[in-house]
Structures are given as structure tokens and as C-alpha cells.
Amino acid sequence: MTYLAPRQGLFAIILLVSFCLQTLLLVISTDQQLSKSRALKGEQMVAQLIDEARLSLENKDRVSLSVIANRYTSEQDVTRILIKDNNDDILVPVGNAPMQQGDTIRQIATNGDSVIGSVSLTLKDISKGEIIAMQWPFVIGTMLLHLLLWLVYGYLARPTKEQINALSRDIQDLHREQYMQSDQRSYDREFERRATHTDRETSEYSVESATDSQPTNAHKLDVHSEVNQYLRTQKNQAATDTTGSNSQPIDSTTEERAEHDAANGAAQDEISRAPKSGSASRLSATRSFDSVRVQIVFHDEFNMLERLAPAQRLPYLALCTQLLNQAVTELLKQPLLLGVSAMNEPRFDDTGASVLLKADNSHAKVALAGVMLGKLYLMLNKIIHDKHIELSRFALPAKAGVSDDAQAQAMTQLLHSVGKKEQMLILLPNAALKQISHHVQVQSIMRPTTVYERECAVFDGGNDSMIQRLADVRNAVLMIESADESAI
């Protein structure tokens, strides 16, 4: 019979930890090397781009700058190029992945001693999966090496025949000692039993001998036995009468207690069923929906809006209302959102604004429309906020929440409890999440403390086509806003 090596499973766990640590160190070292090389490459590309675009940058030729920048965005590592003039105004934003994170290299463009602008180039972060894919020979070789070590240990550490025989002898000696101890205990018990039986027979023989030798005491024993029997009979009768008189109250008390326990049990069942049936319909992930409510609230940590004078607060709220209404109008013109209509005309107040979108037919993507509207307004508000801060005017960042109409109150609480600046929360049933899954990415809230926080998701980015649509709609809304200001 072949025996396994001792603690072979523990050794396999140690080898697995060793393999994971080696892979982690490989990824870290490779990431550092690639980051240095990409940083040098990015600086060279920025310097080359400034040399090519210096003349166009002086003339603020957006077309030429776009053509020059598009050649650099064809590089796999480049995600975004931003060219600004000497007043720090954006001339050309190039790149279809603004949601991706990466390292940004910024360099000022000069012509002699004068500054003519600046160029910012964003490089895409290298994912750990790409590093592992690049180093697959090392990873596979390390895994095979650890597997070979496990097999060699299992073969060399197996017990030999001498060790097995010695172990068998030790086990036999142990069993023999236990068997002898059990036999000794059983022999002692049998000896005690026989001794007790012998003593009993001896005492009975002594009593019989004494009875035969003293026949004159038989009548006295009979008298005593009759007296004792009479006393026992009287005592039993008294106990019977007492039990009969108390039997009825005891039975009634028992019945009342049983009825009371049954009533309490029924009440507890009704109480435990009541909240479950009420909350199941509201929190059910398969609940039906045909409308979506988009809530926009200000991220006002210090209650600055309440302290603002009405002469400044009312025009700011009017501007936000105008932006939101124009965003709704321009967004619903998209062919992708055909069949979605707005049920109200939103207006901003101190608590924010709310838009109710409804699906006119079963094919309308009302959930996607709500998510796109929330993200579109956050993009618009970001531009307005930065411009107001640059001009030393009052402005507030915003955050958005998208939910079905049944969960609007819960979304309001989530925006105030866990919502962050420039963030969009999503609280929708499974059918709506499936509708938006092909266009956006979401992530769960870290360390949720309530049921709604566990069901809520956070907008984490969109695909290129949706971001491009939102950028086009944003530009259209801003062009309308600029035309209105120039007309005034």
C-alpha cells in the first residue's frame, strides 16, 4: 500500500502562496519599468507635438491643431490630448476616452520668450492583466516549477517500510495496553459482583436460621405488620382525597395558559409577516417600471446657498434651470432615445431639481435616457462651475441620482448620505440595469450599511459611443446658451 507524504496539503498551500508572491513582485517590477519608459516616451511626444504645432498654436488654427493631435492619438498608449492657448482656454480636446484614468504630462509651448500655449497629454494606465499577458512564459514556468516541487516532495517524503513497521508496532503495543486495562476493569467488576452475591446469600441463611430457632416471636411480628399495613392504608386515602380536590383548578389553569400561549404565537406570526410583505414589493429586484426619475442636487457642504442673497441666488437657480431644460430637450432628440418623453418641466430650488422621464412604448430605453441625462447635466455643471470660479462668481458642484419612481424617496436619502461631488447614483430594478449594461459601467458602494446602499450602484464610466453622444449634446446646449447670451 502506498502512503502519502505527511502534511502534503499544507506544503501545497505554502507553494501556492510562494507562486502568488512571485507573480505579484513580477507585476510590480514590470509596472515600474513600463511607467518610466512610457513617461520618457510621453515627454518626447509632447515636445515633438509642440514643435509641429507651434505655428498653428500662434494663429489659434483649431483645424490644423486637430489634424496634428489626431496623429498622436492613434498611439495605443495615448488616451487624450488637450491643447490650450496662452489664456488657458481650450483650443482642441482630442481623445475618445475621457473617463479612463492615466498619467498626464503637461508642457508649456513658447516662441522665443513669449508663451503661446500649453499641451497636455494623458497616457493610459497599464493594467495588471496586460503585464501578466506580456510575461506569460515566466508565469507558466514558475507555476510548473512549483508543481514539480510539490510532486517531488510527495515522492521523497513518503514514509519508508521501516517507518511504517515501527509505527505499526507502536500502534499494536498501544492497543494491547488498552485491552489489558479493560480486561482488568471487567475482572474487578465481576469479582465485586460475586462477592456481593455471596454476602447476600449468607445474610439470608442467617435470617432463616434465626427464624427457625425463635418460633415464639412469630406472633409479635404478625401484629406489627398488620399495624403498619393499617397506617399505610389511611395515609393513601388522605393523599387521594387531596389530589381529587385540587385536580379541577390545575386543569383550568393549564387550559388558560395554553390558550394564552397560542394567542401570543398567532400575534407574533402576524407581526413578523407584516413588514416582510410590505418591503418585499419595494425592494424586489424584479419590480416593474415604466418611468425613471432623475434627481439633481447641489453638493453644498457648508450651506452656502441658504446664506446667499436672493439677488444672487435666484439668477443662479434660473441659469441651472435653463441648462437642465435645454439638456432634456436636446438629449431626447437622439434617435437612440426614441419613445422617451419628459413628464414635467424641472425647476431648481434650494433642494435641487427633479425630472420624470416616461416610456411611451415597451421598446423605449427610459432607463438609459435617465442615466444619460444625469451624466449630461454633471458635465454641463462642471463647465459652468469652473467658469464661475474662474470669474470669482458663486457656483456649486452637483451630484445626480437615477431611480424608478417607486424608489425616489430612497434615492433622495442616498444622495444626502453617501452621494459625493460629481457622482451619479443608480437605484434601478434588474430589467433597467440590463437595459443600460451595454452602454455604461457601474460599481457597488463600498461597505454598505443599509438595504438601499447594498442595492445602489455608482456610475463608473461609459463606452465611446455614449460619451461621444453626450459630448455632442453638451456642445449643442452650450452653443444655445452662448447664442442666448449674445442676443441679450
Side-chain angles (χ1 to χ4, degrees):
M1 182 176 180
T2 303
Y3 293 88
L4 297 177
R7 298 184 179 180
Q8 193 168 0
L10 179 61
F11 186 73
I13 294 174
I14 295 174
L15 291 179
L16 180 61
V17 172
S18 173
F19 171 74
C20 294
L21 290 176
Q22 289 188 11
T23 306
L24 178 62
L25 294 175
L26 172 67
V27 171
I28 293 174
S29 60
T30 306
D31 186 25
Q32 292 180 353
Q33 295 176 1
L34 291 178
S35 298
K36 293 180 180 178
S37 62
R38 287 172 60 253
L40 294 175
K41 180 180 178 182
E43 292 176 357
Q44 294 176 359
M45 292 175 64
V46 171
Q48 185 176 357
L49 176 59
I50 291 175
D51 293 336
E52 294 180 5
R54 183 172 284 109
L55 181 60
S56 300
L57 190 59
E58 289 180 351
N59 298 327
K60 296 184 179 181
D61 187 0
R62 298 174 183 266
V63 177
S64 300
L65 291 174
S66 299
V67 173
I68 296 172
N70 282 325
R71 293 203 306 267
Y72 289 87
T73 55
S74 61
E75 292 288 336
Q76 185 178 2
D77 296 333
V78 179
T79 61
R80 184 177 176 85
I81 295 178
L82 195 65
I83 300 177
K84 298 182 181 180
D85 58 4
N86 55 354
N87 295 325
D88 207 22
D89 294 330
I90 298 176
L91 296 178
V92 176
V94 180
N96 294 328
M99 301 301 297
Q100 293 184 359
Q101 301 294 329
D103 298 330
T104 301
I105 300 174
R106 186 176 183 274
Q107 188 172 346
I108 298 175
T110 58
N111 187 6
D113 296 332
S114 61
V115 177
I116 60 176
S118 62
V119 176
S120 299
L121 185 143
T122 303
L123 299 174
K124 182 179 66 174
D125 282 339
I126 301 175
S127 65
K128 304 302 184 290
E130 293 177 355
I131 295 177
I132 294 176
M134 292 169 54
Q135 301 291 340
W136 67 268
F138 178 83
V139 175
I140 294 179
T142 306
M143 182 178 62
L144 294 177
L145 177 61
H146 284 77
L147 181 60
L148 180 62
L149 289 175
W150 182 72
L151 294 175
V152 170
Y153 170 80
Y155 177 78
L156 296 179
R158 289 182 302 177
T160 61
K161 292 183 178 180
E162 292 78 10
Q163 294 175 344
I164 294 174
N165 293 333
L167 183 62
S168 300
R169 287 192 298 268
D170 294 338
I171 294 174
Q172 290 177 0
D173 294 339
L174 179 61
H175 286 174
R176 189 180 297 110
E177 291 176 359
Q178 294 178 353
Y179 180 77
M180 291 176 64
Q181 291 177 0
S182 61
D183 285 346
Q184 182 65 29
R185 286 195 298 268
S186 62
Y187 175 79
D188 293 340
R189 285 196 299 269
E190 183 66 16
F191 179 79
E192 292 176 357
R193 186 181 65 82
R194 289 182 179 181
T196 304
H197 181 67
T198 303
D199 293 339
R200 188 183 298 112
E201 289 179 350
T202 305
S203 61
E204 289 177 355
Y205 176 77
S206 300
V207 170
E208 289 177 358
S209 300
T211 303
D212 293 339
S213 63
Q214 298 178 357
T216 58
N217 297 330
H219 179 70
K220 294 180 180 180
L221 294 175
D222 293 337
V223 172
H224 286 295
S225 63
E226 288 177 358
V227 173
N228 291 333
Q229 184 176 2
Y230 173 77
L231 293 175
R232 283 195 299 269
T233 303
Q234 294 297 326
K235 191 175 182 179
N236 291 333
Q237 288 180 358
T240 304
D241 294 338
T242 304
T243 305
S245 62
N246 295 333
S247 61
Q248 183 63 28
I250 292 173
D251 294 339
S252 62
T253 304
T254 305
E255 291 177 357
E256 291 176 359
R257 187 178 302 164
E259 292 176 357
H260 182 69
D261 294 340
N264 289 338
Q268 291 294 334
D269 292 339
E270 292 178 358
I271 292 173
S272 61
R273 285 195 298 268
K276 291 180 181 178
S277 61
S279 62
S281 59
R282 295 180 61 191
L283 295 177
S284 175
T286 59
R287 61 184 182 273
S288 59
F289 79 103
D290 59 352
S291 61
V292 166
R293 184 170 294 275
V294 182
Q295 301 183 45
I296 310 294
V297 297
F298 295 112
H299 187 74
D300 192 2
E301 296 179 333
F302 306 104
N303 296 326
M304 298 175 60
L305 191 61
E306 296 180 358
R307 305 172 185 175
L308 196 65
Q312 296 179 349
R313 183 174 69 251
L314 295 178
Y316 177 69
L317 294 178
L319 173 62
C320 295
T321 301
Q322 183 179 2
L323 277 177
L324 181 57
N325 285 312
Q326 291 176 358
V328 173
T329 303
E330 293 296 327
L331 181 65
L332 296 183
K333 292 180 182 180
Q334 296 292 318
L336 180 64
L337 305 179
L338 186 65
V340 179
S341 58
M343 302 302 295
N344 66 327
E345 184 176 354
R347 296 185 63 84
F348 269 92
D349 54 14
D350 294 346
T351 60
S354 175
V355 183
L356 181 62
L357 302 178
K358 185 175 180 59
D360 299 334
N361 52 64
S362 59
H363 302 289
K365 299 180 179 180
V366 64
L368 181 61
V371 173
M372 292 180 68
L373 177 59
K375 183 59 181 176
L376 174 61
Y377 187 80
L378 291 180
M379 296 167 64
L380 290 169
N381 189 79
K382 176 67 175 175
I383 296 175
I384 298 300
H385 176 265
D386 293 345
K387 189 66 176 178
H388 277 64
I389 297 301
E390 182 181 351
L391 298 176
S392 300
R393 296 180 181 178
F394 174 79
L396 288 173
K399 50 189 175 182
V402 181
S403 65
D404 52 330
D405 203 20
Q407 301 292 345
Q409 185 176 1
M411 177 53 71
T412 303
Q413 297 176 358
L414 289 173
L415 286 173
H416 287 87
S417 61
V418 299
K420 298 180 181 179
K421 181 174 64 175
E422 305 296 337
Q423 191 181 66
M424 181 166 59
L425 304 180
I426 301 173
L427 185 61
L428 294 171
N430 286 342
L433 293 177
K434 183 178 180 181
Q435 185 182 116
I436 66 175
S437 61
H438 301 290
H439 302 276
V440 302
Q441 297 87 33
V442 296
Q443 63 180 2
S444 301
I445 295 178
M446 299 297 293
R447 294 183 293 275
T449 58
T450 63
V451 178
Y452 292 111
E453 291 181 11
R454 187 173 66 248
E455 297 294 332
C456 183
V458 181
F459 181 85
D460 193 36
N463 57 14
D464 295 341
S465 61
M466 194 192 79
I467 297 299
Q468 186 61 43
R469 285 193 183 96
L470 291 177
D472 295 339
V473 177
R474 178 199 60 191
N475 296 335
V477 173
L478 293 177
M479 289 178 63
I480 294 174
E481 183 71 17
S482 300
D484 292 342
E485 291 180 356
S486 61
I488 294 174

